[in-house]
Amino acid sequence: KSLAISNDKFVSELEANLEKMYNEGKFDSLIEEIVNLQTTFTFNNVSEMKLATNLINGSFAKTLGYYQANDGGSSYYKIREITESDTTDEMFLIEITDTNLVAELLIGEKLNVRQVGIKGLSSIDVTLPLTTVLSKGLNVYFPKGTYTISSPIVLNSHKLIGDSTGETIIKYDNVSHNELFNSYNLENLEIKNITF
């Protein structure tokens, strides 16, 4: 009997609090926040996500591509508040425009370089973004294409995996073959389906 009374009291207090929130105009914002936390917002690309006004701390976002939908750079992000120690890089940590929020890239078993905007076009020098990616110690997948680098890179990754068709090329200009990688541990390095 006392349990039933306390349950009735709880329900009564809950109803009173919900009614008070509704009368103060706070109920709709509470429902919106709950929905936002339970929803993964989908955007065509990173630029569209950066301009979003409906993202909140703790929500999740998905892009269908990095530059445009279906470009191979589809990714998931956790939205969180930016901290003093954060450095946005437009790859792993992306600032949401006009907010104190960032989108942090969620990485699975391996990182597809297109998820961070690296294209396999021989005319584009990818030395700087590729250096950032390889410094993370991730398993890295390169879709077919030609990735041009113009200076030695430090390699901390465990696996570099190319497209299974064998059409992944890392082209190095102004770098000798011996200088290609400044630092790497051959014992932990696996390179598959990549032509240098």
Side-chain angles (χ1 to χ4, degrees), residues 64-79:
L64 300 177
Y66 187 89
Y67 296 105
Q68 63 189 30
N70 303 317
D71 66 6
S74 178
S75 299
Y76 284 93
Y77 298 86
K78 176 159 176 71
I79 307 304

Side-chain angles (χ1 to χ4, degrees), residues 35-180:
V35 168
N36 285 347
L37 288 172
Q38 298 299 318
T39 302
T40 299
F41 295 94
T42 303
F43 303 96
N44 285 315
N45 54 45
V46 168
S47 294
E48 194 177 285
M49 177 182 67
K50 287 178 65 165
L51 297 173
T53 58
N54 56 344
L55 297 173
I56 63 170
N57 185 34
S59 61
F60 291 89
K62 177 184 180 184
T63 57
L64 300 177
Y66 187 89
Y67 296 105
Q68 63 189 30
N70 303 317
D71 66 6
S74 178
S75 299
Y76 284 93
Y77 298 86
K78 176 159 176 71
I79 307 304
R80 64 173 176 79
E81 290 184 358
I82 193 166
T83 66
E84 288 182 19
S85 63
D86 285 331
T87 302
T88 57
D89 59 13
E90 299 303 311
M91 296 169 65
F92 295 93
L93 198 61
I94 298 169
E95 190 171 357
I96 305 300
T97 306
D98 297 330
T99 69
N100 64 339
L101 300 174
V102 290
E104 185 172 4
L105 178 64
L106 300 176
I107 303 167
E109 186 179 309
K110 63 185 174 189
L111 174 76
N112 179 334
V113 294
R114 291 197 181 153
Q115 291 178 279
V116 292
I118 297 176
K119 296 179 179 182
L121 303 173
S122 63
S123 60
I124 298 174
D125 186 339
V126 297
T127 305
L128 289 175
L130 191 55
T131 298
T132 300
V133 168
L134 297 179
S135 72
K136 302 282 186 185
L138 304 167
N139 296 326
V140 181
Y141 171 69
F142 294 83
K144 71 178 176 177
T146 300
Y147 302 86
T148 301
I149 58 174
S150 59
S151 62
I153 53 178
V154 175
L155 181 60
N156 291 325
S157 295
H158 302 291
K159 291 182 184 177
L160 301 180
I161 305 158
D163 188 79
S164 61
T165 63
E167 296 180 51
T168 299
I169 299 166
I170 295 182
K171 177 180 151 188
Y172 43 101
D173 288 339
N174 304 319
V175 181
S176 74
H177 189 72
N178 292 336
E179 294 177 308
L180 181 58

